[in-house]
Amino acid sequence: MHNTTNTQDTTQAILQDKIIAIIGLGYVGLPLAIEFGKRYPTIGFDTNPLRIQELSNHTDSNHQTPSDAFAKAHLLHFSNDPASLGQANIYIIAVPTPIDTYKTPDISALLAASKMVGEVLKQGDIIIYESTTYPTCTENDCLPILQKYSKLRYNQDFFIGYSPERINPGDRKNTLTNIIKITAGSTQEAAKTINALYASIIPAGTYLAPSIKVAEAAKAIENAQRDLNIAFMNELALIFERLQIDTHEVIKAASTKWNFLHFTPGLVGGHCIGVDPYYLTHIATSLGYHPKVIAAGRYINDFMPDFIAQKMIKLLAKKHISALGAKILILGVTFKENCPDIRNSKVAQVQRALMDFGCEVYVYDPIASKEAVLKEYGFELLDPHSLQNPNQWEETQKYNALLLAVGHASFKTLKPAELLTQNSVIYDLKGFFDCKVDARL
Ligand SMILES: NC(=O)c1ccc[n+]([C@@H]2O[C@H](COP(=O)([O-])OP(=O)(O)OC[C@H]3O[C@@H](n4cnc5c(N)ncnc54)[C@H](O)[C@@H]3O)[C@@H](O)[C@H]2O)c1
């Protein structure tokens, strides 16, 4: 359903006097709070007091929202006091939904947020979930908590909805307001209100799904599909490595066909593509079906860090460089280019595997936070200025090998030859450098 001028009056009537609370102000919640805060009284709530402090000072440490955007959201106020939520009548929950070490969905934040909202719910309120989860989670796991803590009647006193987020961290083109947003509600009336609410801030329009389960499943398959497409490319890379064919050249040639889907091999980290398929396999398994295709994609993508480390060792051996003590420079640690997010970094896994082979590994990423990497992965990033003036370096300061793991735009200014010893290896996972390299993925 697309926004039209005819619907504007109805929308205004439906949304009059609404106060919106956004629960969880991360990559997803903050842009929502900013957009809603331009039009409606909005409470931006987060349990992390440091996050509230920085946002109140118009700073976003995720580097997604520029400081001038905060001033435009003149109706937005930040708070970490749960009591402040009592004023709202629409609650949008955007808290993390990670997996645990056994790759099982961890919905504890979703349940905690549901409890907190349940305790302040009033007659007529609507709760919309934005967090990615498995189909049925909203109605089967979250709803009972809302009912328990509010003691209100579902679909009589309060209503629920689901509207998955599709933003892509680091992507300045596909942002909240120009991506069509899927919406769904627990009754026709609630769905209409939820749809009108999002349509009022998203010029790209909305798509009203027939049920909450459909909206949940749509989000889950979008990411599972992407994971599988990349897994296919990674599998091709494993095959072509044995055939000594450059996968990037194969993809380039195949892409000249009109219906070839252009994906490239690579590390799948982050908190979405590599995580969400486990939400889908979790619910399928609980119902007695053990997904094979989705699991195979996950298996291949999770295997890539080890493959990359082993390949690097082979490349060193070919040049008679001993792995033991070889100085390896890895460029990039974040899960994707030009974005500071280090969650679920597969580069950290490559770093560990190379260390296990006895290499000295140095990781350079001027976009990632040094403190966050140390805390999460236990190693220190090189200082942001450490690759300056390599043309003045002694031979002993240089690296034996370079692994380009993430294609940050700022790496374009680096000249690999200056950073490396005479006899050295360049392994370019992304096909990023124009110079001659020893291998690409
Ligand atoms: N990051 C993305 O690009 C993206 C895209 C689509 C969907 N998603 C999904 O959206 C959800 C949120 O992701 P994110 O990337 O914004 O996470 P995030 O980690 O960046 O932010 C989540 C925020 O929620 C806060 N929080 C945690 N528990 C809370 C609670 N009980 N009450 C209130 N606040 C709480 C945290 O302090 C944090 O600031 C996840 O389900 C994710 O899978 C993310």
Side-chain angles (χ1 to χ4, degrees), residues 23-243:
I23 325 271
L25 299 172
Y27 284 89
V28 169
L30 180 60
L32 282 168
I34 298 276
E35 284 312 314
F36 281 119
K38 290 176 186 171
R39 291 188 60 130
Y40 308 97
T42 303
I43 305 155
F45 176 88
D46 200 290
T47 42
N48 178 354
L50 295 177
R51 182 70 173 154
I52 292 300
Q53 200 180 353
E54 67 169 38
L55 297 179
S56 303
N57 293 329
H58 294 190
T59 304
D60 173 20
S61 54
N62 291 339
H63 305 296
Q64 301 295 298
T65 303
S67 13
D68 57 354
F70 289 83
K72 293 181 191 147
H74 59 291
L75 298 172
L76 169 64
H77 299 281
F78 295 108
S79 169
N80 66 339
D81 176 8
S84 68
L85 296 174
Q87 307 160 45
N89 26 52
I90 294 187
Y91 299 87
I92 299 181
I93 298 182
V95 297
T97 44
I99 45 171
D100 64 17
T101 43
Y102 301 100
K103 316 270 189 206
T104 306
D106 171 3
I107 59 164
S108 54
L110 213 45
L111 302 183
S114 301
K115 174 174 182 282
M116 192 178 58
V117 171
E119 284 167 343
V120 295
L121 269 196
K122 303 168 302 304
Q123 188 84 23
D125 286 355
I126 298 179
I127 307 94
I128 307 165
Y129 290 86
E130 285 244 2
S131 299
T132 307
T133 188
Y134 47 83
T136 69
C137 178
T138 303
E139 287 154 302
N140 292 358
D141 299 286
C142 301
L143 173 62
I145 296 191
L146 294 172
Q147 287 171 305
K148 177 176 170 188
Y149 289 95
S150 69
K151 304 208 165 44
L152 295 176
R153 290 166 306 167
Y154 175 49
N155 278 344
Q156 292 178 55
D157 300 328
F158 76 96
F159 308 87
I160 61 172
Y162 187 77
S163 181
E165 189 47 72
R166 289 167 151 170
I167 55 160
N168 187 12
D171 184 339
R172 308 267 166 200
K173 200 168 131 235
N174 300 302
T175 55
L176 174 65
T177 53
N178 52 32
I179 308 170
I180 293 176
K181 191 112 169 64
I182 297 178
T183 60
S186 56
T187 63
Q188 263 191 16
E189 202 56 30
K192 205 167 130 189
T193 305
I194 292 166
N195 194 63
L197 179 74
Y198 283 103
S200 73
I201 60 152
I202 299 181
T206 54
Y207 175 86
L208 180 55
S211 69
I212 289 174
K213 269 197 273 197
V214 166
E216 289 170 322
K219 173 65 192 179
I221 68 159
E222 284 169 20
N223 282 352
Q225 184 187 61
R226 198 167 162 74
D227 194 41
L228 280 170
N229 279 319
I230 299 170
F232 176 56
M233 294 300 148
N234 279 334
E235 183 156 80
L236 296 180
L238 300 178
I239 297 170
F240 295 146
E241 198 250 346
R242 284 165 172 77
L243 289 166

